Amino acid sequence: FTTSDAEYNALATGEVQIGYIPFHLFQKRHIPGYKIAFFPSWGITFIELNYKNPATQAFHSLAVRQALQMAIDQPAYIRAFYHGQAIPQYGPVPYAPPTYLSPKLKAGYIPYPYDPAKGKALLEAHGWHLVDGVMEKNGMRLDFTLDYASGSLSNQQIAEAFAAAAAQEGIRIHLKPEPFDTIFGNLGSPNVWEMAFYGNGWTYLPDFYPSNGGLFGTGGGSNLQGFSDPKADRLIAATHAFTPKAQSLRALWAYQDYLAQVVPDLWLPEAAGAWTGATGAITEYSELLHGVQEHLNPTGVISPQYWSY
């Protein structure tokens, strides 16, 4: 289908027995004879920060990244924009299922809860001061452009809410909706973008092990943003070492706890996954189709051989 409306109509008319509907059609989810299945995808969602662009050198400041994270109200986003069909996430390892989640994060630790007033105070404590409503320091201004994937109401709502909260801290964020392909294609051109939100983030495929040297390690194949942290590199290397299971798990815990603290990207809720493995959609299936809920897989692998009609 070329549009989500067309796919929804196919569900509503019974043309298809299983499919997904985006969040902007959530109010129309009650299709007679159909059920909703919720499951998070095996991945993480974030706003990507560009460390290579000369205009965004402020991102190298931990205090700036912490303040930006404090402008993100994950519980409110989940209630208002995802209709409860998402889970909060504050680190680089998926929260559900919590197979590899560290004890600290599993216990509910949130490094930087939503608090714009505290974020503003943090910036001021690190030498930033307001000039015409925007924080400045040593010639740098916290004035950025966020490219976000167009065509999704939830993406737009998150971008707008984030920008409004950041403004309370003295951080000005200009919103620029663009097609997903454009945003993703621009990541390889350091001077073209500053912040990017393409509606999802990273899925741990094909090996499913959530150690992410490719995204957060210095020089990683998918580290197009240019994040680099020597301690993070050492912790990532430890997760790749051939060690006994208990030691390997402790290394993964140390890695994710540290990345949660240093905020290489801005963590966002992980929205419901679709049976295709896509995020940001709700799976809906016919009551006559059995075995769907039991065999939905967060890794995006589908098992139609276990379905019956």
Side-chain angles (χ1 to χ4, degrees):
F1 296 93
T2 56
T3 67
S4 52
D5 287 322
E7 180 167 7
Y8 172 81
N9 290 335
L11 282 168
T13 60
E15 179 185 343
V16 298
Q17 287 74 50
I18 182 169
Y20 64 92
I21 57 176
F23 289 111
H24 75 271
L25 293 175
F26 187 78
Q27 302 304 328
K28 299 173 69 175
R29 69 193 182 280
H30 298 297
I31 302 174
Y34 280 73
K35 294 181 178 180
I36 289 175
F38 168 74
F39 67 103
S41 62
W42 185 240
I44 56 176
T45 299
F46 46 76
I47 292 175
E48 196 154 358
L49 305 177
N50 188 349
Y51 296 88
K52 295 181 178 181
N53 192 326
T56 58
Q57 291 306 293
F59 291 156
H60 291 274
S61 165
L62 176 58
V64 170
R65 301 198 303 273
Q66 291 170 331
L68 284 166
Q69 186 66 54
M70 291 181 199
I72 293 176
D73 191 348
Q74 292 204 41
Y77 293 1
I78 292 171
R79 289 192 306 270
F81 310 144
Y82 290 136
H83 308 284
Q85 302 293 300
I87 56 172
Q89 171 217 294
Y90 300 97
V93 170
Y95 270 54
T99 309
Y100 296 109
L101 196 62
S102 76
K104 189 174 183 178
L105 295 175
K106 191 182 298 184
Y109 173 65
I110 302 174
Y112 312 109
Y114 175 71
D115 193 336
K118 187 175 180 180
K120 181 180 179 182
L122 176 66
L123 292 173
E124 292 172 336
H126 282 78
W128 295 88
H129 58 280
L130 284 174
V131 177
D132 297 328
V134 178
M135 289 289 186
E136 287 192 2
K137 178 183 177 182
N138 299 332
M140 290 188 293
R141 286 171 57 85
L142 301 186
D143 189 326
F144 311 112
T145 295
L146 170 61
D147 300 346
Y148 71 90
S150 58
S152 165
L153 179 59
S154 57
N155 287 355
Q156 177 185 337
Q157 291 170 324
I158 286 175
E160 291 174 349
F162 170 54
Q168 299 176 39
E169 301 181 351
I171 304 173
R172 181 179 294 160
I173 297 178
H174 309 272
L175 301 180
K176 185 180 178 183
E178 291 190 304
F180 172 89
D181 290 349
T182 299
I183 295 175
F184 206 73
N186 285 343
L187 294 180
S189 303
N191 296 335
V192 173
W193 65 284
E194 297 180 352
M195 310 173 77
F197 172 44
Y198 28 93
N200 49 29
W202 184 275
T203 301
Y204 288 97
L205 299 174
D207 63 353
F208 312 124
Y209 192 65
S211 174
N212 211 329
L215 185 62
F216 297 122
T218 301
S222 296
N223 187 357
L224 301 178
Q225 61 188 340
F227 176 74
S228 180
D229 183 308
K231 182 174 180 179
D233 291 341
R234 292 194 297 272
L235 292 173
I236 289 170
T239 69
H240 296 164
F242 187 74
T243 57
K245 181 179 179 180
Q247 185 177 341
S248 177
L249 199 55
R250 285 194 298 271
L252 190 65
W253 292 345
Y255 149 75
Q256 63 187 278
D257 286 346
Y258 182 70
L259 266 289
Q261 289 286 338
V262 299
V263 204
D265 289 323
L266 307 181
W267 311 119
L268 289 172
E270 180 69 12
W275 66 282
T276 56
T279 57
I282 303 160
T283 298
E284 194 143 351
Y285 63 98
S286 169
E287 292 177 347
L288 301 177
L289 187 61
H290 305 290
V292 174
Q293 180 67 63
E294 295 84 353
H295 295 97
L296 285 173
N297 191 310
T299 63
V301 177
I302 63 171
S303 303
Q305 69 271 29
Y306 295 116
W307 301 347
S308 60
Y309 187 67

